[in-house]
Amino acid sequence: MEVNHQHAHEPHVHHPGCGHQHVCWGAGQEHTHHHRLRVSDISVNYHEVVALEDIHFDTECGRSIALIGPNGAGKSTLLKTLAHLIVPDHGQILWKGQRMQSSSNEIAYLPQRGDVDWNFPITVRGLVEMGRYPNLGWWRPYSRHDGEIVERALAAMELLDLQKRQISALSGGQQQRTFIARALAQEAHVLLLDEPFTGLDKPSQETLHRLFRDLTKEGRLLIASHHDLATVPAIFDDVLLLKRKQLAFGPVSDVLTKERIGNAYAV
Amino acid sequence: MTTFTEFLNEPIARRALLACLMIGFANGFVSAFVVLKKSALKIGTLSHALLPGIALAVMLFGLTQWSALGGAIFAAMIIGLGSVFLARTSRLDQDTAQGILYTTAFAGGYILLSRMNIRQKLDEWLFGSIVGMSDSDLWIAFGISAFAVLVLTALQRPLLIYLFEPNIAASLGVPVRFLTYALFAVVILVLISSLQAVGCILSVGLLVAPAATVYLFSNNAKTLFWGGGIIGALGSVAAFFLSYPLGWHISSTIIVVLGAMFLVAYIVSPRYGLLAQWRRR
């Protein structure tokens, strides 16, 4: 059983996900109770090739983790495995102390922007509404409650003015924020992001960085693949250094040493 | 023109008109899925694969509507799944595997059918025979059309997420594998109904052009489905009325009309048309 949170302020406002969960977005307060994500001894094979081996780490909501490693190190594979899109050949993932058996609305997967057809005929709001699917299923009608959650997600990502836009008419940063808003509408605790900062201009990167901080402060766990080593310390709390095998995991300052980076990127 | 009114009073003409309406709508509706899935080429190859199935069924069970229908379904299943299997068990990708399987099957089917002394029927399967439809053909077409529209409407919500990005869909709990198979079945059924209308060579046109036309106007995926249905039905019915006085082959007229509608949309669409693009420059 989860510990219920009492909201000292705004007692009448419904915070989506509250009551039996700890993510109270928009509340803007830090939470003391954090869910744990424990990954033990994960390995993934593609046919005969080992894509990931011996991945093990333990973390909790409220943190942001950068997945760092050279091309082909298995960053995307790890994200997909955590999202249960790939079932590991060995090892297990424990979320809130329980083994993950299927995809969960508490864990959101955000692919690389390049993997998506931005000409798809849908608006920003339409895309964010997709996040309500786990609650609605095939046929349940879209309720006012769903509308409020979508509204809140759009507001949190500063997209209210853009909600009627076709998604191809967005900048890279706006597209990334739309993805995150979709994850918020899903009421996700864990956000798995594949290269969210890639291809963004400086101001968009800074906006995203700020939103990342807000999200972790709300008690969400962010795990993102990232390739710009220089910006890691500013954005992330922890680093998982990866080259098929897990080379290191821990706070940024401990992991990102010259020696370790040299090892990871050595040919 | 009296002859045309006389022709319209014939049951055969009324059946053809009704068939144009139903088959045009169903194919137009499903074309939204084909366009959003970007699988036009795949559908084209699949439609060719129906021919050997029909040939085989006619050889084994004699020439009836049901044997032709059963054979077509069988062939599409075998070759659709065969290409997946071939791709998984060799170093070839699925497109390459399909390219080989479909053309071989089509050529084989053509040889079989042309050896069977059913010359006229062969032409009908290659290029359609909407004027020659019987009552039972019409019922089959109606059943397929209703089923296709019903399934795609009922599955609209998960379907659109799946079409947008399959990984996002899977992570949200959309049953991606079930959808893949269900939609494959719907497309094959609709292909078979379009086989009757325009034949296996032209059926891709009916399953792509309508929604592609709407795609140039709309940013709403749902509009693509219903708009595609309307364009498909309108185009087919218009072609029916054009083909008789002009003396044109009706199946080809359907495809030409749909092609012309697309061309007009491509030029004049206020948002994505050629003229609009020039004006913006």
Side-chain angles (χ1 to χ4, degrees), chain A residues 80 85 103-104 107 109 111 115-117 119-122 127 130 133-134 136-142 166-167 179 182 186, chain B residues 36 38 88 153-155 157-158 160-161 163-168 170-175 178 215 218-221 224 272:
Chain A
K80 283 183 180 164
L85 297 171
S103 62
S104 156
I107 296 174
Y109 172 73
D115 290 348
V116 169
D117 172 20
N119 279 317
F120 195 87
I122 196 168
L127 203 161
M130 284 181 181
Y133 178 83
L136 293 170
W138 290 9
W139 295 314
R140 209 167 304 137
Y142 185 84
Q166 208 278 327
I167 52 172
F179 267 176
R182 195 266 303 164
Q186 185 183 332
Chain B
L36 290 178
K38 300 184 177 51
R88 283 212 184 137
T153 308
L155 296 179
R157 193 181 282 158
L160 287 181
I161 306 176
L163 288 171
F164 176 63
E165 221 287 308
N167 279 321
I168 290 181
S171 76
L172 285 168
V174 170
F178 165 78
Y215 189 63
S218 172
N219 267 326
N220 183 336
L224 229 55
Y272 303 107

Short mmCIF file of all heavy atoms in Angstrom, two decimals, chain A residues 80 85 103-104 107 109 111 115-117 119-122 127 130 133-134 136-142 166-167 179 182 186, chain B residues 36 38 88 153-155 157-158 160-161 163-168 170-175 178 215 218-221 224 272:
data_model
loop_
_atom_site.label_atom_id
_atom_site.label_comp_id
_atom_site.label_asym_id
_atom_site.label_seq_id
_atom_site.Cartn_x
_atom_site.Cartn_y
_atom_site.Cartn_z
N LYS A 80 14.03 1.03 -24.03
CA LYS A 80 12.91 0.21 -24.49
C LYS A 80 12.67 -0.97 -23.54
O LYS A 80 11.53 -1.38 -23.34
CB LYS A 80 13.17 -0.32 -25.90
CG LYS A 80 12.96 0.74 -26.97
CD LYS A 80 13.15 0.18 -28.36
CE LYS A 80 12.94 1.27 -29.40
NZ LYS A 80 13.47 0.89 -30.71
N LEU A 85 9.04 -2.62 -23.78
CA LEU A 85 8.85 -2.83 -25.23
C LEU A 85 9.72 -4.00 -25.68
O LEU A 85 9.46 -4.64 -26.68
CB LEU A 85 9.23 -1.57 -26.01
CG LEU A 85 8.36 -0.35 -25.72
CD1 LEU A 85 8.94 0.89 -26.38
CD2 LEU A 85 6.94 -0.59 -26.20
N SER A 103 3.47 -3.49 -19.85
CA SER A 103 3.66 -2.05 -19.86
C SER A 103 2.72 -1.44 -18.83
O SER A 103 1.70 -2.01 -18.49
CB SER A 103 3.35 -1.50 -21.25
OG SER A 103 2.01 -1.75 -21.58
N SER A 104 3.10 -0.29 -18.32
CA SER A 104 2.33 0.33 -17.26
C SER A 104 2.11 1.80 -17.59
O SER A 104 2.99 2.44 -18.15
CB SER A 104 3.09 0.19 -15.94
OG SER A 104 2.70 1.21 -15.04
N ILE A 107 4.75 4.27 -16.42
CA ILE A 107 6.06 4.39 -17.07
C ILE A 107 5.84 4.81 -18.53
O ILE A 107 5.20 4.11 -19.30
CB ILE A 107 6.81 3.06 -16.98
CG1 ILE A 107 7.10 2.77 -15.50
CG2 ILE A 107 8.10 3.11 -17.79
CD1 ILE A 107 7.71 1.45 -15.22
N TYR A 109 7.17 6.08 -22.31
CA TYR A 109 8.29 5.99 -23.24
C TYR A 109 8.19 7.12 -24.26
O TYR A 109 7.15 7.30 -24.89
CB TYR A 109 8.26 4.63 -23.94
CG TYR A 109 9.26 4.50 -25.05
CD1 TYR A 109 10.62 4.36 -24.77
CD2 TYR A 109 8.86 4.52 -26.38
CE1 TYR A 109 11.54 4.26 -25.79
CE2 TYR A 109 9.78 4.42 -27.41
CZ TYR A 109 11.12 4.29 -27.11
OH TYR A 109 12.03 4.19 -28.13
N PRO A 111 10.01 8.33 -27.63
CA PRO A 111 11.03 7.99 -28.62
C PRO A 111 11.80 9.22 -29.09
O PRO A 111 11.44 10.36 -28.76
CB PRO A 111 10.20 7.41 -29.77
CG PRO A 111 8.85 7.97 -29.62
CD PRO A 111 8.65 8.20 -28.15
N ASP A 115 12.17 9.54 -34.90
CA ASP A 115 11.46 8.27 -35.15
C ASP A 115 9.98 8.48 -35.45
O ASP A 115 9.27 7.52 -35.70
CB ASP A 115 11.57 7.35 -33.92
CG ASP A 115 12.98 6.82 -33.74
OD1 ASP A 115 13.78 6.99 -34.68
OD2 ASP A 115 13.28 6.27 -32.68
N VAL A 116 9.53 9.72 -35.38
CA VAL A 116 8.10 9.98 -35.49
C VAL A 116 7.79 10.72 -36.79
O VAL A 116 8.57 11.56 -37.23
CB VAL A 116 7.64 10.82 -34.27
CG1 VAL A 116 6.24 11.33 -34.46
CG2 VAL A 116 7.74 9.98 -33.01
N ASP A 117 6.67 10.39 -37.39
CA ASP A 117 6.22 11.10 -38.59
C ASP A 117 5.47 12.35 -38.14
O ASP A 117 4.31 12.27 -37.74
CB ASP A 117 5.30 10.19 -39.42
CG ASP A 117 4.64 10.96 -40.56
OD1 ASP A 117 5.16 12.04 -40.93
OD2 ASP A 117 3.62 10.48 -41.07
N ASN A 119 4.32 14.66 -39.86
CA ASN A 119 3.24 15.06 -40.76
C ASN A 119 1.94 14.35 -40.45
O ASN A 119 0.93 14.57 -41.11
CB ASN A 119 3.62 14.74 -42.21
CG ASN A 119 4.51 15.83 -42.77
OD1 ASN A 119 4.26 17.01 -42.56
ND2 ASN A 119 5.55 15.43 -43.46
N PHE A 120 1.97 13.46 -39.47
CA PHE A 120 0.75 12.74 -39.09
C PHE A 120 -0.34 13.76 -38.77
O PHE A 120 -0.11 14.73 -38.05
CB PHE A 120 1.03 11.86 -37.87
CG PHE A 120 -0.02 10.83 -37.62
CD1 PHE A 120 0.04 9.60 -38.25
CD2 PHE A 120 -1.08 11.07 -36.76
CE1 PHE A 120 -0.92 8.62 -38.02
CE2 PHE A 120 -2.05 10.12 -36.53
CZ PHE A 120 -1.97 8.89 -37.16
N PRO A 121 -1.54 13.56 -39.32
CA PRO A 121 -2.58 14.57 -39.13
C PRO A 121 -3.15 14.58 -37.72
O PRO A 121 -4.17 13.98 -37.44
CB PRO A 121 -3.65 14.18 -40.16
CG PRO A 121 -3.45 12.72 -40.38
CD PRO A 121 -2.00 12.45 -40.17
N ILE A 122 -2.48 15.28 -36.84
CA ILE A 122 -2.95 15.37 -35.45
C ILE A 122 -2.46 16.69 -34.86
O ILE A 122 -1.41 17.20 -35.26
CB ILE A 122 -2.45 14.17 -34.63
CG1 ILE A 122 -3.23 14.04 -33.33
CG2 ILE A 122 -0.97 14.26 -34.35
CD1 ILE A 122 -3.00 12.74 -32.62
N LEU A 127 -2.37 14.78 -29.67
CA LEU A 127 -1.26 13.91 -29.27
C LEU A 127 -1.22 13.75 -27.75
O LEU A 127 -1.02 12.65 -27.23
CB LEU A 127 0.06 14.51 -29.79
CG LEU A 127 1.23 13.55 -29.96
CD1 LEU A 127 2.27 14.14 -30.89
CD2 LEU A 127 1.89 13.19 -28.65
N MET A 130 -3.64 11.31 -26.34
CA MET A 130 -3.26 9.89 -26.44
C MET A 130 -2.83 9.34 -25.09
O MET A 130 -2.99 8.15 -24.81
CB MET A 130 -2.10 9.71 -27.43
CG MET A 130 -2.50 9.80 -28.88
SD MET A 130 -1.05 9.53 -29.93
CE MET A 130 -1.81 9.71 -31.56
N TYR A 133 -5.10 7.12 -22.96
CA TYR A 133 -5.51 5.79 -23.43
C TYR A 133 -5.51 4.72 -22.32
O TYR A 133 -6.48 3.96 -22.22
CB TYR A 133 -4.66 5.34 -24.62
CG TYR A 133 -5.02 3.96 -25.09
CD1 TYR A 133 -6.10 3.76 -25.95
CD2 TYR A 133 -4.34 2.83 -24.64
CE1 TYR A 133 -6.47 2.49 -26.36
CE2 TYR A 133 -4.70 1.56 -25.04
CZ TYR A 133 -5.75 1.39 -25.90
OH TYR A 133 -6.13 0.13 -26.29
N PRO A 134 -4.45 4.65 -21.49
CA PRO A 134 -4.47 3.59 -20.47
C PRO A 134 -5.70 3.67 -19.57
O PRO A 134 -6.18 2.65 -19.07
CB PRO A 134 -3.18 3.83 -19.68
CG PRO A 134 -2.30 4.55 -20.62
CD PRO A 134 -3.19 5.41 -21.46
N LEU A 136 -8.66 5.07 -20.55
CA LEU A 136 -9.90 5.04 -21.32
C LEU A 136 -10.12 3.72 -22.05
O LEU A 136 -11.26 3.29 -22.24
CB LEU A 136 -9.89 6.16 -22.37
CG LEU A 136 -9.95 7.58 -21.80
CD1 LEU A 136 -9.69 8.60 -22.89
CD2 LEU A 136 -11.29 7.84 -21.14
N GLY A 137 -9.04 3.07 -22.45
CA GLY A 137 -9.21 1.85 -23.23
C GLY A 137 -9.82 2.15 -24.59
O GLY A 137 -9.75 3.27 -25.08
N TRP A 138 -10.45 1.14 -25.19
CA TRP A 138 -10.96 1.31 -26.55
C TRP A 138 -12.15 2.23 -26.64
O TRP A 138 -12.30 2.98 -27.58
CB TRP A 138 -11.37 -0.06 -27.12
CG TRP A 138 -10.21 -0.95 -27.40
CD1 TRP A 138 -8.90 -0.72 -27.06
CD2 TRP A 138 -10.24 -2.21 -28.07
NE1 TRP A 138 -8.13 -1.77 -27.47
CE2 TRP A 138 -8.92 -2.70 -28.09
CE3 TRP A 138 -11.26 -2.97 -28.64
CZ2 TRP A 138 -8.59 -3.91 -28.68
CZ3 TRP A 138 -10.93 -4.17 -29.22
CH2 TRP A 138 -9.60 -4.64 -29.25
N TRP A 139 -13.06 2.15 -25.67
CA TRP A 139 -14.37 2.77 -25.88
C TRP A 139 -14.84 3.75 -24.83
O TRP A 139 -15.76 4.49 -25.06
CB TRP A 139 -15.43 1.66 -26.02
CG TRP A 139 -15.21 0.83 -27.23
CD1 TRP A 139 -14.93 1.29 -28.49
CD2 TRP A 139 -15.21 -0.60 -27.34
NE1 TRP A 139 -14.77 0.24 -29.36
CE2 TRP A 139 -14.95 -0.93 -28.68
CE3 TRP A 139 -15.44 -1.62 -26.42
CZ2 TRP A 139 -14.88 -2.24 -29.13
CZ3 TRP A 139 -15.37 -2.92 -26.87
CH2 TRP A 139 -15.09 -3.23 -28.21
N ARG A 140 -14.22 3.70 -23.63
CA ARG A 140 -14.77 4.55 -22.57
C ARG A 140 -14.74 6.01 -23.03
O ARG A 140 -13.73 6.48 -23.56
CB ARG A 140 -13.94 4.38 -21.30
CG ARG A 140 -14.75 4.63 -20.04
CD ARG A 140 -14.00 4.14 -18.79
NE ARG A 140 -13.63 2.72 -18.91
CZ ARG A 140 -12.44 2.24 -18.55
NH1 ARG A 140 -11.50 3.03 -18.09
NH2 ARG A 140 -12.19 0.96 -18.68
N PRO A 141 -15.85 6.72 -22.85
CA PRO A 141 -15.86 8.10 -23.38
C PRO A 141 -14.89 9.01 -22.62
O PRO A 141 -14.65 8.83 -21.43
CB PRO A 141 -17.31 8.55 -23.18
CG PRO A 141 -17.92 7.58 -22.23
CD PRO A 141 -17.14 6.31 -22.29
N TYR A 142 -14.37 9.95 -23.36
CA TYR A 142 -13.44 10.94 -22.85
C TYR A 142 -14.22 11.90 -21.94
O TYR A 142 -15.14 12.57 -22.39
CB TYR A 142 -12.87 11.66 -24.07
CG TYR A 142 -11.80 12.64 -23.83
CD1 TYR A 142 -10.48 12.23 -23.72
CD2 TYR A 142 -12.09 13.99 -23.77
CE1 TYR A 142 -9.48 13.16 -23.52
CE2 TYR A 142 -11.10 14.92 -23.57
CZ TYR A 142 -9.79 14.50 -23.45
OH TYR A 142 -8.81 15.42 -23.27
N GLN A 166 -1.02 21.89 -35.75
CA GLN A 166 -0.60 20.60 -36.30
C GLN A 166 0.83 20.36 -35.82
O GLN A 166 1.62 21.30 -35.74
CB GLN A 166 -0.67 20.66 -37.83
CG GLN A 166 -0.94 19.34 -38.51
CD GLN A 166 0.31 18.50 -38.67
OE1 GLN A 166 1.37 19.06 -38.87
NE2 GLN A 166 0.18 17.20 -38.59
N ILE A 167 1.17 19.12 -35.49
CA ILE A 167 2.45 18.88 -34.84
C ILE A 167 3.67 19.17 -35.71
O ILE A 167 4.75 19.36 -35.20
CB ILE A 167 2.54 17.44 -34.27
CG1 ILE A 167 2.20 16.42 -35.34
CG2 ILE A 167 1.65 17.28 -33.05
CD1 ILE A 167 2.45 14.99 -34.90
N PHE A 179 5.66 15.77 -26.36
CA PHE A 179 5.87 14.38 -25.93
C PHE A 179 5.77 14.27 -24.41
O PHE A 179 5.16 13.36 -23.88
CB PHE A 179 7.27 13.92 -26.35
CG PHE A 179 7.31 13.23 -27.69
CD1 PHE A 179 8.52 12.84 -28.23
CD2 PHE A 179 6.15 12.96 -28.40
CE1 PHE A 179 8.57 12.19 -29.46
CE2 PHE A 179 6.19 12.32 -29.61
CZ PHE A 179 7.42 11.93 -30.15
N ARG A 182 2.33 14.55 -23.16
CA ARG A 182 1.62 13.28 -23.35
C ARG A 182 1.92 12.33 -22.18
O ARG A 182 1.03 11.66 -21.65
CB ARG A 182 2.06 12.66 -24.69
CG ARG A 182 1.20 11.55 -25.21
CD ARG A 182 1.68 10.18 -24.81
NE ARG A 182 3.06 9.94 -25.22
CZ ARG A 182 3.82 8.98 -24.75
NH1 ARG A 182 3.36 8.16 -23.83
NH2 ARG A 182 5.06 8.84 -25.15
N GLN A 186 -0.62 10.91 -19.19
CA GLN A 186 -0.65 9.49 -18.87
C GLN A 186 -0.51 9.27 -17.36
O GLN A 186 -0.67 8.17 -16.88
CB GLN A 186 0.52 8.85 -19.64
CG GLN A 186 0.66 7.37 -19.59
CD GLN A 186 1.92 6.94 -20.35
OE1 GLN A 186 2.36 7.62 -21.28
NE2 GLN A 186 2.50 5.83 -19.96
N LEU B 36 -2.08 6.35 -43.84
CA LEU B 36 -1.41 6.66 -42.59
C LEU B 36 -0.35 5.61 -42.24
O LEU B 36 0.65 5.91 -41.61
CB LEU B 36 -2.42 6.77 -41.45
CG LEU B 36 -3.33 7.99 -41.51
CD1 LEU B 36 -4.34 7.97 -40.37
CD2 LEU B 36 -2.51 9.28 -41.45
N LYS B 38 1.34 4.18 -44.47
CA LYS B 38 2.32 4.29 -45.57
C LYS B 38 2.58 2.92 -46.20
O LYS B 38 3.73 2.55 -46.45
CB LYS B 38 3.63 4.87 -45.07
CG LYS B 38 3.47 6.25 -44.48
CD LYS B 38 4.81 6.82 -44.09
CE LYS B 38 4.68 8.22 -43.56
NZ LYS B 38 3.67 8.35 -42.52
N ARG B 88 12.26 -13.35 -41.83
CA ARG B 88 12.81 -13.73 -40.52
C ARG B 88 13.85 -14.83 -40.64
O ARG B 88 14.75 -14.92 -39.82
CB ARG B 88 11.68 -14.22 -39.61
CG ARG B 88 10.87 -13.08 -39.07
CD ARG B 88 10.34 -13.38 -37.71
NE ARG B 88 9.47 -12.27 -37.29
CZ ARG B 88 8.31 -12.43 -36.70
NH1 ARG B 88 7.87 -13.63 -36.42
NH2 ARG B 88 7.59 -11.39 -36.37
N THR B 153 -13.93 1.70 -37.16
CA THR B 153 -14.54 2.71 -36.28
C THR B 153 -14.41 2.29 -34.83
O THR B 153 -14.05 3.09 -33.96
CB THR B 153 -16.02 2.91 -36.63
OG1 THR B 153 -16.12 3.16 -38.04
CG2 THR B 153 -16.62 4.08 -35.88
N ALA B 154 -14.67 1.01 -34.57
CA ALA B 154 -14.60 0.53 -33.19
C ALA B 154 -13.18 0.61 -32.64
O ALA B 154 -12.97 0.87 -31.47
CB ALA B 154 -15.11 -0.91 -33.11
N LEU B 155 -12.20 0.40 -33.50
CA LEU B 155 -10.81 0.38 -33.05
C LEU B 155 -10.11 1.72 -33.24
O LEU B 155 -8.90 1.82 -33.07
CB LEU B 155 -10.02 -0.70 -33.81
CG LEU B 155 -10.45 -2.14 -33.59
CD1 LEU B 155 -9.60 -3.09 -34.42
CD2 LEU B 155 -10.33 -2.51 -32.12
N ARG B 157 -9.60 4.51 -31.64
CA ARG B 157 -8.71 5.11 -30.65
C ARG B 157 -7.35 4.40 -30.59
O ARG B 157 -6.32 5.06 -30.78
CB ARG B 157 -9.39 5.15 -29.28
CG ARG B 157 -8.66 6.02 -28.29
CD ARG B 157 -9.33 6.02 -26.94
NE ARG B 157 -10.50 6.86 -26.88
CZ ARG B 157 -11.47 6.69 -25.96
NH1 ARG B 157 -11.38 5.72 -25.08
NH2 ARG B 157 -12.51 7.49 -25.94
N PRO B 158 -7.31 3.09 -30.32
CA PRO B 158 -5.99 2.44 -30.32
C PRO B 158 -5.33 2.49 -31.70
O PRO B 158 -4.11 2.61 -31.80
CB PRO B 158 -6.29 1.00 -29.91
CG PRO B 158 -7.73 0.80 -30.13
CD PRO B 158 -8.39 2.14 -29.98
N LEU B 160 -5.31 4.82 -34.04
CA LEU B 160 -4.61 6.06 -34.37
C LEU B 160 -3.29 6.16 -33.62
O LEU B 160 -2.30 6.65 -34.16
CB LEU B 160 -5.49 7.27 -34.08
CG LEU B 160 -6.64 7.46 -35.07
CD1 LEU B 160 -7.45 8.70 -34.73
CD2 LEU B 160 -6.11 7.56 -36.50
N ILE B 161 -3.26 5.70 -32.37
CA ILE B 161 -2.01 5.74 -31.61
C ILE B 161 -1.00 4.79 -32.27
O ILE B 161 0.17 5.12 -32.45
CB ILE B 161 -2.22 5.35 -30.14
CG1 ILE B 161 -3.32 6.23 -29.52
CG2 ILE B 161 -0.94 5.50 -29.35
CD1 ILE B 161 -3.67 5.87 -28.10
N LEU B 163 -0.91 3.87 -35.39
CA LEU B 163 -0.45 4.42 -36.67
C LEU B 163 0.55 5.55 -36.45
O LEU B 163 1.47 5.73 -37.23
CB LEU B 163 -1.64 4.93 -37.49
CG LEU B 163 -2.54 3.85 -38.08
CD1 LEU B 163 -3.80 4.47 -38.68
CD2 LEU B 163 -1.79 3.06 -39.15
N PHE B 164 0.35 6.30 -35.38
CA PHE B 164 1.26 7.42 -35.11
C PHE B 164 2.66 6.90 -34.76
O PHE B 164 3.65 7.32 -35.34
CB PHE B 164 0.71 8.29 -33.98
CG PHE B 164 1.63 9.40 -33.59
CD1 PHE B 164 1.96 10.39 -34.48
CD2 PHE B 164 2.19 9.45 -32.31
CE1 PHE B 164 2.83 11.42 -34.13
CE2 PHE B 164 3.05 10.47 -31.94
CZ PHE B 164 3.37 11.46 -32.86
N GLU B 165 2.74 6.01 -33.80
CA GLU B 165 4.05 5.48 -33.40
C GLU B 165 3.82 4.17 -32.64
O GLU B 165 3.37 4.18 -31.50
CB GLU B 165 4.77 6.49 -32.52
CG GLU B 165 6.26 6.62 -32.82
CD GLU B 165 7.03 5.40 -32.34
OE1 GLU B 165 6.89 5.02 -31.17
OE2 GLU B 165 7.76 4.80 -33.14
N PRO B 166 4.18 3.05 -33.24
CA PRO B 166 3.90 1.75 -32.61
C PRO B 166 4.53 1.57 -31.24
O PRO B 166 3.93 0.94 -30.36
CB PRO B 166 4.48 0.74 -33.61
CG PRO B 166 4.55 1.46 -34.90
CD PRO B 166 4.76 2.90 -34.59
N ASN B 167 5.72 2.15 -31.03
CA ASN B 167 6.36 1.98 -29.72
C ASN B 167 5.61 2.73 -28.62
O ASN B 167 5.44 2.23 -27.52
CB ASN B 167 7.81 2.47 -29.76
CG ASN B 167 8.74 1.42 -30.35
OD1 ASN B 167 8.57 0.23 -30.10
ND2 ASN B 167 9.69 1.86 -31.15
N ILE B 168 5.18 3.95 -28.95
CA ILE B 168 4.38 4.70 -27.98
C ILE B 168 3.10 3.91 -27.70
O ILE B 168 2.69 3.75 -26.55
CB ILE B 168 4.03 6.10 -28.52
CG1 ILE B 168 5.28 6.98 -28.57
CG2 ILE B 168 2.97 6.77 -27.65
CD1 ILE B 168 5.04 8.38 -29.07
N ALA B 170 2.55 0.69 -27.90
CA ALA B 170 2.81 -0.49 -27.06
C ALA B 170 3.04 -0.07 -25.61
O ALA B 170 2.56 -0.72 -24.69
CB ALA B 170 4.02 -1.25 -27.60
N SER B 171 3.76 1.05 -25.42
CA SER B 171 4.05 1.47 -24.04
C SER B 171 2.79 1.94 -23.33
O SER B 171 2.72 1.97 -22.12
CB SER B 171 5.12 2.57 -24.02
OG SER B 171 4.57 3.81 -24.42
N LEU B 172 1.77 2.33 -24.10
CA LEU B 172 0.50 2.75 -23.50
C LEU B 172 -0.44 1.56 -23.30
O LEU B 172 -1.57 1.73 -22.83
CB LEU B 172 -0.19 3.79 -24.38
CG LEU B 172 0.39 5.21 -24.36
CD1 LEU B 172 -0.19 6.04 -25.49
CD2 LEU B 172 0.13 5.88 -23.03
N GLY B 173 0.00 0.39 -23.70
CA GLY B 173 -0.85 -0.79 -23.51
C GLY B 173 -1.78 -1.08 -24.68
O GLY B 173 -2.70 -1.88 -24.56
N VAL B 174 -1.54 -0.44 -25.83
CA VAL B 174 -2.32 -0.77 -27.03
C VAL B 174 -1.91 -2.16 -27.51
O VAL B 174 -0.71 -2.45 -27.60
CB VAL B 174 -2.06 0.27 -28.15
CG1 VAL B 174 -2.65 -0.17 -29.47
CG2 VAL B 174 -2.60 1.64 -27.75
N PRO B 175 -2.86 -3.05 -27.78
CA PRO B 175 -2.50 -4.40 -28.23
C PRO B 175 -2.00 -4.38 -29.68
O PRO B 175 -2.74 -4.65 -30.62
CB PRO B 175 -3.81 -5.18 -28.10
CG PRO B 175 -4.88 -4.15 -28.21
CD PRO B 175 -4.33 -2.87 -27.70
N PHE B 178 -2.25 -7.67 -31.90
CA PHE B 178 -3.64 -7.93 -32.28
C PHE B 178 -4.09 -6.98 -33.38
O PHE B 178 -4.70 -7.40 -34.38
CB PHE B 178 -4.55 -7.79 -31.05
CG PHE B 178 -6.02 -7.69 -31.40
CD1 PHE B 178 -6.73 -8.83 -31.74
CD2 PHE B 178 -6.65 -6.45 -31.44
CE1 PHE B 178 -8.07 -8.73 -32.08
CE2 PHE B 178 -7.99 -6.35 -31.78
CZ PHE B 178 -8.70 -7.49 -32.11
N TYR B 215 -6.17 13.89 -47.35
CA TYR B 215 -4.95 14.20 -46.60
C TYR B 215 -4.41 15.58 -46.96
O TYR B 215 -3.77 16.24 -46.16
CB TYR B 215 -3.91 13.12 -46.91
CG TYR B 215 -2.67 13.13 -46.06
CD1 TYR B 215 -2.72 12.91 -44.69
CD2 TYR B 215 -1.41 13.34 -46.64
CE1 TYR B 215 -1.58 12.91 -43.92
CE2 TYR B 215 -0.25 13.33 -45.87
CZ TYR B 215 -0.34 13.12 -44.52
OH TYR B 215 0.79 13.11 -43.75
N SER B 218 -6.95 18.00 -44.80
CA SER B 218 -7.33 17.89 -43.40
C SER B 218 -6.15 17.54 -42.51
O SER B 218 -5.24 16.80 -42.90
CB SER B 218 -8.40 16.81 -43.24
OG SER B 218 -8.63 16.58 -41.88
N ASN B 219 -6.20 18.07 -41.30
CA ASN B 219 -5.23 17.70 -40.28
C ASN B 219 -5.87 16.88 -39.19
O ASN B 219 -5.38 16.83 -38.07
CB ASN B 219 -4.59 18.95 -39.68
CG ASN B 219 -3.32 19.29 -40.42
OD1 ASN B 219 -2.61 18.39 -40.88
ND2 ASN B 219 -3.04 20.56 -40.57
N ASN B 220 -7.00 16.28 -39.52
CA ASN B 220 -7.70 15.48 -38.54
C ASN B 220 -7.78 14.05 -39.07
O ASN B 220 -8.34 13.80 -40.14
CB ASN B 220 -9.10 16.07 -38.34
CG ASN B 220 -9.87 15.33 -37.28
OD1 ASN B 220 -9.60 14.16 -36.99
ND2 ASN B 220 -10.83 15.99 -36.68
N ALA B 221 -7.20 13.13 -38.31
CA ALA B 221 -7.12 11.75 -38.79
C ALA B 221 -8.51 11.15 -39.00
O ALA B 221 -8.73 10.37 -39.92
CB ALA B 221 -6.30 10.92 -37.82
N LEU B 224 -9.99 11.85 -42.22
CA LEU B 224 -9.37 11.06 -43.28
C LEU B 224 -10.18 9.80 -43.57
O LEU B 224 -10.36 9.40 -44.72
CB LEU B 224 -7.96 10.68 -42.83
CG LEU B 224 -6.82 10.91 -43.80
CD1 LEU B 224 -6.78 12.34 -44.26
CD2 LEU B 224 -5.51 10.54 -43.15
N TYR B 272 -2.12 22.75 -48.43
CA TYR B 272 -0.96 22.00 -48.88
C TYR B 272 -0.88 21.89 -50.40
O TYR B 272 -0.10 21.11 -50.92
CB TYR B 272 -0.97 20.60 -48.26
CG TYR B 272 -1.02 20.63 -46.75
CD1 TYR B 272 -2.17 20.30 -46.05
CD2 TYR B 272 0.10 21.05 -46.03
CE1 TYR B 272 -2.21 20.36 -44.67
CE2 TYR B 272 0.06 21.11 -44.65
CZ TYR B 272 -1.09 20.76 -43.97
OH TYR B 272 -1.13 20.83 -42.61
#
